[in-house]
Amino acid sequence: MTTTTAVPGATPTAVVTGAGSGIGAATARELAAAGYRVMLAARRAERIEALAGELRAAGHAAEAHALDVTDRAAVDAFASALQGRCDVLVNNAGGALGLDPVAEGDPADWRAMYEVNVIGVLHMTQALLPALAASGAGTVVVVTSTAGHGTYEGGGGYVAAKHGAHVLAETLRLEIVGQPVRVIEVAPGMVRTEEFSLTRFRGDAERAAKVYEGVAAPLTAEDVADTIAWAVTRPPHVNVDLLVVRPRAQASNTKVHRGG
Ligand code: 8X3
């Protein structure tokens, strides 16, 4: 890992949402190893407290903050607690619910996906943008998905939400050009984490496992965290606008090689 981008002399602070598991937890580990004080945000306090404890035991600076990114008042309180210190914001919290065709999708699922994947990013980014700009070399990362760049059958609600997050990132980059803040989008394809597909299929482990069946090597959370940390640790004038990362076995959202 290379050097961090923040003001020399001060320990730079990185906020990671959805840090309780998967890509978020792996990213927090990577950024801690890169020298950041990591602020772990997630709804499940026990998960992030355990991770913060693990990181502190390894000699890193880490704090856990229970947070629902869809709750604006809670996000504002979290931002105040940072006391103006934030160099990197990794908007990772998100997820999919269901794989229903548009004709049958539950509007409540669509609304919930929009809330966490788009409004959550909006809340966090609005709340932390002043601190990111004040750092002199801020970075906003939006973890979208290949679902933010192309659709697939049954993906409608998630695809729409991730397209929303992609547009948020692109628009923000246009609007704040000239400020010392980069906007980086990382769009992962098939990543096998412990929870993504299990959540999508509401705890149906068999259906979740089928997503990855026969795929030689889906990406891991660590693979994606590595790309996020790489982009974040480029010199501050280098803006990796969009990084799409898929396993070799996945040529597109709908073309996956399975089996020998
Ligand atoms: C996850 C990728 O293909 O399940 O963001 O939409 S996919």
Side-chain angles (χ1 to χ4, degrees), residues 26 28 32 36 137 202 208 243:
Y36 285 92
R202 302 171 214 281
L243 196 159

Side-chain angles (χ1 to χ4, degrees), residues 3-247:
T3 53
T4 56
T5 55
V7 183
T11 303
T13 297
V15 172
V16 182
T17 69
S21 69
I23 293 169
T27 300
R29 287 193 177 94
E30 286 271 354
L31 294 180
Y36 285 92
R37 174 176 76 124
V38 290
M39 312 300 268
L40 313 172
R43 283 176 304 176
R44 293 169 301 186
E46 69 286 358
R47 293 281 193 114
I48 47 175
E49 276 160 15
L51 178 55
E54 172 200 311
L55 292 172
R56 285 196 296 265
H60 304 303
E63 287 178 29
H65 292 264
L67 180 66
D68 177 351
V69 295
T70 68
D71 178 345
R72 184 53 188 258
V75 168
D76 287 341
F78 169 76
S80 300
L82 290 182
Q83 300 183 312
R85 287 297 318 279
C86 185
D87 302 89
V88 175
L89 164 62
V90 181
N91 286 297
N92 165 72
L97 285 175
L99 194 63
D100 307 307
V102 171
E104 291 155 25
D106 183 344
D109 286 345
W110 282 57
R111 200 169 284 120
M113 287 189 279
Y114 196 82
E115 280 285 332
V116 68
N117 290 293
V118 184
I119 303 298
V121 176
L122 180 69
H123 284 164
M124 291 300 294
T125 304
Q126 287 183 338
L128 295 180
L129 210 44
L132 289 159
S135 77
T139 300
V140 177
V141 178
V142 183
V143 181
T144 62
S145 168
T146 48
H149 297 268
T151 195
Y152 54 92
E153 290 150 286
Y158 181 63
V159 166
K162 284 301 192 186
H163 273 69
H166 160 64
V167 167
L168 185 159
E170 277 216 324
T171 308
L172 177 66
R173 195 180 303 117
L174 293 172
E175 290 170 348
I176 65 172
V177 69
Q179 292 186 38
V181 181
R182 303 181 289 190
V183 182
I184 295 170
E185 177 184 350
V186 175
M190 183 186 280
V191 187
R192 184 170 201 157
T193 61
E194 63 268 38
E195 291 191 324
F196 178 81
S197 291
L198 205 56
T199 302
R200 169 170 250 175
F201 297 122
R202 302 171 214 281
D204 184 338
E206 209 172 307
R207 205 171 164 202
K210 279 209 180 329
V211 171
Y212 314 101
E213 202 169 69
V215 179
L219 295 180
T220 64
E222 290 70 28
D223 292 327
V224 180
D226 182 46
T227 67
I228 294 170
W230 174 80
V232 166
T233 55
R234 294 312 86 206
H237 69 287
V238 177
N239 196 134
V240 179
D241 283 11
L242 170 63
L243 196 159
V244 178
V245 54
R246 297 181 190 269

